[in-house]
């Protein structure tokens, strides 16, 4: 039958369904078969031929017909899974049903009255085998659907290659088939890479699209504060009820991490061959991150005993979470598996950067946000709770992903793309979520000493970025990009300033030598943040000054040798520190400062930061195109909720400082309790400040001014300024290089206060961030699935869809 005929027949069936007021019997096969038996409609056709208004009309006016349609479509998928889909006709029916369900499911989810429909039982669909009419044993429709999809994803000659030697062999029995032998791609736990097969890839993609649609019920529930609510679809699919969980998990992970969009290393190859792998890889990445949507704060994270096995998954771990995908992810431990995953993610994240060397030489991938979520999940779930202060080597334990990432400079292959995305998205309102996840990953990494150490590697790759040219290390790159975000990002990024500076504080004790460009950027930030009107205009702005002072103190105390550029910059800008020490606290001065604010509304300007020329070949960060769609995000927790303070001991181990309420920390910076009080105060006052009611008091300024950790810097200035001035007078110097040479050979040993202990603020998982990740992830998936537009114009509750 021609394609036009089949579309016509399909459309006729849809019209009949919407106009029939009487229920159609489930046994009326002649009627129901019109939807799938003799049609060859693409998923795009199905979306065009089944309009939203008609689905809603059937739902409201003849609900039993919609119920029967869903039930019959699921039944066809179950039959296809049972039979193994050997005939072309069977394959076509399975694809048609799966497209139809992908179209209809969102309209079932958007109506609260229908939400339980798929979890109700269907007579005759027994759990214990065929045809048991025992309703006690009946399977809910959702379970039958999910198990059928899982079976169909390992169906020889449909979604995987057949292992039959010849056509004489009988068809492989789907029930006895060991799907672990049919994993889609080599990588974790599987060494054999099957021949690429376009048809199989397309069929897998259609089924994964349906699976993702099943999981998307989460989009129709408003964000819950406890976030502990598990998605029943994901929960069942990732449970031991599904016999394919392990091969499916590895198939999805390996398909993503093995993908090479360059076209097997040949530039411009993608222009000759259409890449049918990318849509599958994208779909696999989206399904994978949704199955891993698991709040790690509500479950115990696995601790291990000392035995390991030779398998890809570490069997020594206790059972861990019931979600088997999370469980498997947490138990990967072989070095070659970590290498495969890290190299794959780094290769894909770097793909947009390659574009800038040889434009169009490689296919530009678009799913970097999904990859960042996947990287986050790997770091978050693949970890072990070590006994306090002991490393995995001392305990003879398998290492975990985060440790592996940080033990070589490979982590920089993740860092550079993240900094590229942050810099590129800083002016774009529609990419606030991307900014947040990039910063969260860097915050997580910065809690580990090795990250700070790795940043000392010289930065030689010249990815064209809209930042000043500099010669230096990856630490310089990080500081220059952060400065750019703070000084020329859009207003909605202000909540991230705390996080950005916390990252710099965490790495600062390990930075051996900052460039002059980076040193000037840090001092420009201090200058901007310590203006009186900025300090007095919001209840928490002074925290930014505390963070920067902590950075300077760490570098002076722990990395003085090698940081003459920073010391010189501090000497040049010494007036800023004197102004801070003499900050006015009387009310008239406070009011005068705030009056000045009304005349200068911009909190940070680029003047005075000695911008310099941007890198060659770079484009300025652009704002979103007007009309761009974006999805709303829930608020992220404050830095005090996001992190936990730990102190670095002499032997390099960390000791948590959290449980003991402190009376003020060693370095005079606000304790965790104080910022959280200030934050509570700020939350109470944030509405007030919008209408101009919050006003700083003398007591409030005094309460934190007395804790400004200025002692070390003042001592440094006291010792070095007279010496530098003397050199200038003696030699009539205006030349920086001579002063820098003097500072390089100078020493402050014995002259500075006793070094303070290093404080690290480590990222702490909490339900607030779990909820943020859920809304962000589903927002990305919603916006990225436009062909067909699965969820477009349905009544989504998890977030709002907004136009920039």
């Amino acid at each position: 039958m021609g394609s036009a005929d089949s579309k016509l027949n399909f459309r006729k069936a849809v019209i009949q369904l919407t106009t029939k007021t009487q229920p159609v019997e489930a046994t009326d096969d002649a009627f129901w078969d019109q939807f799938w038996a003799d049609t060859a409609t693409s998923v795009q056709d199905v979306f065009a031929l089944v309009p939203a208004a008609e689905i809603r009309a059937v739902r409201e006016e003849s609900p039993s017909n919609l119920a029967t349609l869903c039930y019959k479509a699921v039944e066809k998928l179950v039959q296809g899974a049972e039979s193994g889909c050997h005939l072309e006709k069977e394959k076509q029916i399975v694809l048609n049903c799966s497209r139809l369900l992908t179209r209809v499911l969102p309209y079932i989810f958007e109506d609260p009255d229908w939400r339980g429909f798929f979890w109700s039982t269907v007579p005759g669909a027994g759990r214990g085998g065929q045809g048991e009419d025992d309703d006690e044993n009946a399977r809910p429709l959702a379970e039958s659907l999910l198990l059928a999809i899982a079976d169909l994803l390992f169906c020889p000659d449909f979604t995987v290659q057949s292992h039959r030697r010849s056509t004489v062999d009988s068809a492989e029995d789907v029930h006895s088939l060991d799907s672990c032998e049919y994993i889609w791609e080599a990588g974790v736990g599987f060494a054999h890479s099957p021949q690429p097969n376009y048809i199989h890839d397309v069929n897998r993609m259609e089924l994964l699209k349906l699976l993702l649609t099943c999981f998307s019920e989460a989009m129709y529930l408003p964000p819950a504060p406890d976030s502990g609510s598990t998605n029943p679809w994901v929960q069942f699919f990732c449970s031991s009820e599904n016999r394919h969980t392990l091969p499916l998990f590895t198939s999805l992970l390996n398909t993503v991490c093995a993908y090479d969009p360059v076209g097997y290393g040949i530039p411009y190859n993608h222009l000759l061959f259409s890449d049918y792998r990318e849509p599958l890889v994208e779909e696999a990445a989206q399904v994978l991150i949704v199955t891993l949507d698991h709040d790690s704060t509500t479950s115990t994270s696995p601790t291990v005993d000392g035995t390991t096995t030779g398998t890809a998954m570490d069997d020594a771990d206790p059972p861990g979470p019931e979600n088997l995908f999370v469980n498997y992810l947490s138990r990967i431990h072989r070095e070659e598996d970590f290498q495969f995953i890290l190299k794959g993610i780094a290769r894909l994240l770097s793909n947009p950067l390659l574009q800038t060397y040889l434009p169009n030489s490689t296919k530009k991938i678009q799913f970097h946000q999904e990859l960042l979520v996947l990287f986050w999940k790997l770091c978050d779930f693949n970890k072990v709770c070590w006994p306090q202060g002991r490393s995995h080597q001392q305990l003879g334990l398998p290492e975990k992903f985060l440790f592996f990432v940080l033990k070589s400079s490979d982590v920089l292959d993740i860092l550079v793309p993240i900094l590229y995305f942050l810099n590129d998205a800083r002016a774009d309102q529609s990419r606030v979520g991307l900014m947040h996840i990039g910063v969260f990953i860097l915050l997580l990494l910065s809690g580990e000493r090795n990250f700070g150490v790795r940043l000392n590697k010289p930065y030689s790759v010249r990815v064209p970025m809209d930042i000043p040219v500099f010669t230096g290390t990856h630490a310089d790159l990080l500081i220059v990009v952060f400065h750019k975000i703070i000084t020329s990002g859009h207003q909605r990024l202000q909540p991230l300033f705390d996080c950005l500076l916390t990252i710099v504080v965490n790495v600062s004790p390990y930075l051996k030598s900052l460039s002059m460009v980076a040193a000037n950027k840090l001092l420009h930030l201090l200058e901007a943040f310590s203006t009186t009107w900025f300090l007095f205009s919001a209840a928490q702005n002074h925290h930014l000054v505390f963070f920067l002072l902590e950075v300077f103190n760490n570098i002076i105390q722990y990395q003085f040798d090698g940081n003459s550029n920073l010391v010189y910059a501090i000497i040049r800008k010494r007036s800023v520190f004197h102004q801070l020490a003499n900050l006015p606290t009387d009310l008239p001065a406070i009011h005068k400062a705030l009056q000045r604010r009304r005349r200068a509304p911009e909190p940070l300007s680029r003047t005075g930061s000695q911008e310099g020329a941007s890198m060659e070949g770079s484009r300025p960060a652009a704002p979103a195109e007007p009309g761009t769609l974006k999805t709303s995000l829930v608020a992220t927790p404050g830095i005090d909720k996001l992190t936990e303070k730990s102190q670095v001991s002499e032997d390099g181990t960390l000791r948590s400082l959290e449980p003991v309420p402190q009376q003020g920390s060693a370095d005079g910076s606000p304790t965790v309790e104080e910022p959280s009080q200030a934050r509570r105060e700020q939350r109470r006052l944030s509405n007030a400040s919008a209408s101009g009611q919050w006003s700083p008091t003398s007591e409030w300024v005094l309460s934190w001014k007395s804790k400004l950790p200025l002692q070390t810097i003042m001592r440094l200035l006291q010792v070095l300024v007279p010496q530098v001035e003397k050199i200038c007078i003696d030699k009539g110097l205006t030349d920086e290089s001579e002063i820098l040479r003097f500072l390089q050979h100078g020493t402050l040993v014995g002259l500075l206060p006793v070094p303070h202990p290093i404080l690290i603020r480590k990222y702490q998982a909490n339900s607030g961030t779990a909820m943020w990740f859920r809304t962000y992830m589903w927002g990305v998936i919603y916006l990225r699935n436009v062909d067909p537009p699965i969820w477009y114009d349905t009544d989504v509750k998890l977030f709002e869809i907004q136009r920039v």
Side-chain angles (χ1 to χ4, degrees):
M1 186 193 297
S3 162
D5 290 347
S6 69
K7 279 186 204 173
L8 196 64
N9 283 359
F10 181 77
R11 181 68 194 131
K12 270 189 201 155
V14 174
I15 292 168
Q16 282 178 313
L17 185 70
T18 50
T19 52
K20 278 186 191 287
T21 46
Q22 293 305 308
V24 184
E25 287 299 320
T27 49
D28 185 352
D29 285 340
F31 175 75
W32 296 112
D33 281 353
Q34 303 176 91
F35 289 98
W36 40 73
D38 47 352
T39 58
T41 46
S42 70
V43 69
Q44 285 78 9
D45 292 337
V46 170
F47 272 67
L49 298 169
V50 188
E54 293 181 16
I55 305 174
R56 289 188 176 117
V58 178
R59 187 183 71 196
E60 303 311 319
E61 286 145 38
S62 39
S64 72
N65 286 345
L66 181 59
T68 308
L69 179 73
C70 292
Y71 163 63
K72 296 292 284 185
V74 172
E75 185 182 56
K76 288 290 169 197
L77 290 179
V78 171
Q79 284 167 4
E82 289 287 323
S83 71
C85 279
H86 299 298
L87 305 172
E88 278 312 308
K89 187 177 169 65
E90 291 177 303
K91 293 174 185 170
Q92 198 54 59
I93 289 174
V94 162
L95 292 172
N96 287 338
C97 289
S98 116
R99 290 161 189 162
L100 194 59
L101 285 167
T102 301
R103 179 60 173 144
V104 170
L105 274 168
Y107 298 91
I108 301 246
F109 294 153
E110 73 174 2
D111 185 335
D113 295 339
W114 275 81
R115 218 163 278 144
F117 168 69
F118 269 87
W119 294 98
S120 54
T121 52
V122 177
R127 273 208 170 94
Q130 279 313 92
E132 280 189 22
D133 261 332
D134 175 2
D135 281 352
E136 290 293 297
N137 242 346
R139 251 194 204 292
L141 201 53
E143 293 186 5
S144 303
L145 172 56
L146 290 170
L147 294 177
I149 295 172
D151 282 339
L152 287 163
L153 286 168
F154 292 100
C155 189
D157 283 331
F158 181 51
T159 49
V160 291
Q161 251 165 342
S162 170
H163 291 183
R164 279 185 301 160
R165 294 283 170 272
S166 71
T167 47
V168 186
D169 286 5
S170 65
E172 286 148 290
D173 177 19
V174 275
H175 300 289
S176 59
L177 172 144
D178 176 6
S179 45
C180 285
E181 292 172 12
Y182 292 83
I183 289 170
W184 302 349
E185 186 56 77
V188 177
F190 196 65
H192 168 66
S193 189
Q195 258 328 95
N197 183 311
Y198 170 69
I199 308 286
H200 293 173
D201 275 4
V202 171
N203 294 343
R204 290 164 179 173
M205 196 185 78
E206 297 253 18
L207 289 163
L208 289 179
K209 213 178 268 306
L210 172 57
L211 189 57
L212 195 59
T213 309
C214 291
F215 293 160
S216 72
E217 185 178 15
M219 279 197 216
Y220 298 90
L221 303 169
D226 58 354
S227 95
S229 52
T230 44
N231 181 329
W233 295 84
V234 172
Q235 192 176 10
F236 179 80
F237 189 79
C238 298
S239 74
S240 53
E241 294 270 346
N242 176 1
R243 69 189 181 101
H244 303 292
T245 46
L246 182 58
L248 247 173
F249 169 75
T250 40
S251 291
L252 295 171
L253 182 63
N254 295 350
T255 298
V256 172
C257 295
Y259 177 54
D260 179 7
V262 176
Y264 308 100
I266 306 163
Y268 303 99
N269 203 19
H270 72 105
L271 300 176
L272 307 177
F273 305 102
S274 73
D275 180 1
Y276 54 81
R277 203 88 225 243
E278 188 186 10
L280 172 67
V281 175
E282 249 181 54
E283 211 69 51
Q286 291 178 0
V287 168
L288 194 54
I289 60 177
V290 170
T291 55
L292 296 170
D293 177 21
H294 172 80
D295 185 351
S296 57
T297 56
T298 57
S299 69
T300 52
S301 121
T303 51
V304 293
D305 60 28
T307 56
T308 60
T309 61
T311 58
M313 304 302 159
D314 174 20
D315 296 331
D317 289 5
E322 283 166 17
N323 176 326
L324 291 177
F325 277 44
V326 173
N327 200 334
Y328 298 144
L329 187 80
S330 70
R331 285 166 41 192
I332 297 170
H333 68 285
R334 288 200 300 209
E335 193 149 319
E336 59 269 35
D337 291 338
F338 285 153
Q339 189 65 30
F340 165 74
I341 293 169
L342 181 60
K343 279 273 183 278
I345 293 177
R347 177 177 60 246
L348 292 169
L349 285 177
S350 306
N351 163 274
L353 287 62
L354 289 174
Q355 295 297 325
T356 47
Y357 299 120
L358 295 169
N360 303 322
S361 62
T362 61
K363 188 180 166 78
K364 186 166 183 176
I365 61 157
Q366 302 294 338
F367 56 98
H368 47 274
Q369 299 191 85
E370 291 92 324
L371 290 165
L372 291 173
V373 175
L374 178 59
F375 182 79
W376 174 270
K377 298 284 180 195
L378 278 153
C379 295
D380 197 19
F381 295 148
N382 189 280
K383 60 174 185 239
V384 174
C385 301
W386 312 119
Q388 198 67 46
R390 312 242 338 253
S391 73
H392 77 284
Q393 292 119 319
Q394 293 166 319
L395 297 165
L397 296 174
E399 68 183 7
K400 289 292 173 174
F401 184 70
L402 187 56
F403 180 85
F404 178 83
V405 169
L406 292 165
K407 80 174 192 183
S408 76
S409 52
D410 287 353
V411 66
L412 303 175
D413 298 337
I414 299 285
L415 170 75
V416 172
I418 288 178
L419 291 175
Y420 172 87
F421 293 132
L422 291 178
N423 188 58
D424 189 54
R426 68 176 193 265
D428 184 340
Q429 292 258 1
S430 69
R431 293 199 281 169
V432 177
L434 170 62
M435 298 293 296
H436 276 76
I437 189 168
V439 171
F440 283 164
I441 289 172
L442 298 183
L443 179 63
L444 180 75
L445 294 173
S446 75
E448 308 294 330
R449 174 184 177 274
N450 262 355
F451 181 64
V453 174
R454 300 282 161 238
L455 290 178
N456 290 307
K457 187 175 177 181
Y459 176 65
S460 50
V461 192
R462 288 283 171 245
V463 177
M465 283 163 85
D466 173 28
I467 52 171
V469 180
F470 69 91
T471 303
T473 66
H474 284 76
D476 294 308
L477 175 68
L478 179 133
I479 288 167
V480 168
V481 169
F482 282 11
H483 174 270
K484 197 86 177 179
I485 294 167
I486 291 171
T487 56
S488 63
H490 56 78
Q491 283 304 102
R492 291 195 48 207
L493 298 180
Q494 258 188 315
L496 280 177
F497 291 2
D498 276 356
C499 269
L500 292 168
L501 293 187
T502 297
I503 294 164
V504 181
V505 173
N506 281 347
V507 301
S508 60
Y510 311 109
L511 304 184
K512 293 192 182 320
S513 171
L514 286 185
S515 69
M516 190 59 93
V517 172
N520 284 335
K521 296 297 177 216
L522 286 175
L523 278 138
H524 175 242
L525 289 179
L526 182 73
E527 210 173 354
F529 289 148
S530 59
T531 57
T532 47
W533 64 259
F534 183 74
L535 283 173
F536 298 159
S537 62
Q540 78 296 358
N541 282 357
H542 62 282
H543 294 169
L544 299 171
V545 169
F546 276 87
F547 285 137
L548 285 163
L549 292 176
E550 200 174 331
V551 170
F552 299 142
N553 287 337
N554 281 341
I555 294 177
I556 293 165
Q557 289 282 19
Y558 291 99
Q559 299 289 349
F560 180 80
D561 300 340
N563 270 301
S564 51
N565 288 330
L566 180 68
V567 173
Y568 178 63
I570 288 173
I571 291 172
R572 278 190 47 227
K573 293 282 184 188
R574 57 191 178 277
S575 60
V576 180
F577 300 97
H578 291 300
Q579 278 162 12
L580 270 174
N582 300 314
L583 196 69
T585 57
D586 58 300
L587 268 179
I590 292 173
H591 287 167
K592 193 172 163 194
L594 292 172
Q595 289 300 315
R596 219 171 313 153
R597 175 193 191 193
R598 296 205 175 89
R599 292 197 294 277
E602 273 301 300
L604 286 169
S605 69
R606 296 169 72 163
T607 52
S609 84
Q610 302 158 316
E611 235 346 63
S614 275
M615 293 174 75
E616 199 179 328
S618 67
R619 291 188 321 274
E625 293 284 323
T628 306
L629 287 181
K630 67 187 181 85
T631 54
S632 63
L633 291 161
V634 292
T636 50
I639 195 73
D640 54 311
K641 296 272 187 303
L642 269 180
T643 55
E644 173 184 271
K645 267 192 182 177
S646 299
Q647 197 169 301
V648 181
S649 315
E650 300 265 314
D651 61 354
T653 55
L654 286 181
R655 193 167 58 79
S656 171
L657 297 179
E658 288 303 311
V660 191
Q662 292 164 296
Q663 297 303 308
S665 57
D667 60 347
S669 65
T671 62
V672 170
E673 282 70 30
E674 285 156 3
S676 55
Q677 270 167 359
R679 262 170 211 290
R680 277 197 292 279
E681 178 75 355
Q682 182 217 345
R683 271 196 291 275
R684 193 173 64 73
L685 298 170
S686 60
N687 302 335
S689 66
S691 54
Q693 287 168 10
W694 182 76
S695 52
T697 62
S698 293
E699 296 72 37
W700 172 76
V701 178
L702 281 165
S703 71
W704 54 261
K705 179 189 170 181
S706 59
K707 297 195 183 79
L708 283 167
L710 288 165
Q711 308 83 322
T712 300
I713 294 166
M714 289 310 195
R715 183 78 185 118
L716 173 138
L717 292 172
Q718 196 188 348
V719 174
L720 293 179
V721 169
Q723 298 181 4
V724 169
E725 283 177 340
K726 186 174 186 310
I727 292 175
C728 293
I729 294 163
D730 289 357
K731 304 202 173 175
L733 273 187
T734 50
D735 180 20
E736 289 187 352
S737 57
E738 188 74 29
I739 300 167
L740 282 167
R741 231 190 327 276
F742 162 72
L743 292 173
Q744 267 161 7
H745 298 108
T747 175
L748 292 175
V749 174
L751 297 171
L752 292 177
V754 176
H756 54 282
I758 296 173
L759 285 182
I760 300 290
R761 293 168 181 82
K762 282 176 85 80
Y763 168 81
Q764 270 307 102
N766 62 71
S767 53
T769 41
M771 194 65 236
W772 184 89
F773 271 99
R774 182 170 303 160
T775 52
Y776 170 61
M777 171 185 79
W778 279 114
V780 168
I781 290 171
Y782 177 98
L783 292 172
R784 300 258 298 104
N785 282 273
V786 288
D787 184 26
I790 301 181
W791 300 282
Y792 192 68
D793 273 350
T794 60
D795 189 12
V796 170
K797 294 277 196 303
L798 185 63
F799 44 77
E800 287 169 32
I801 293 93
Q802 301 157 338
R803 279 193 191 277
V804 174

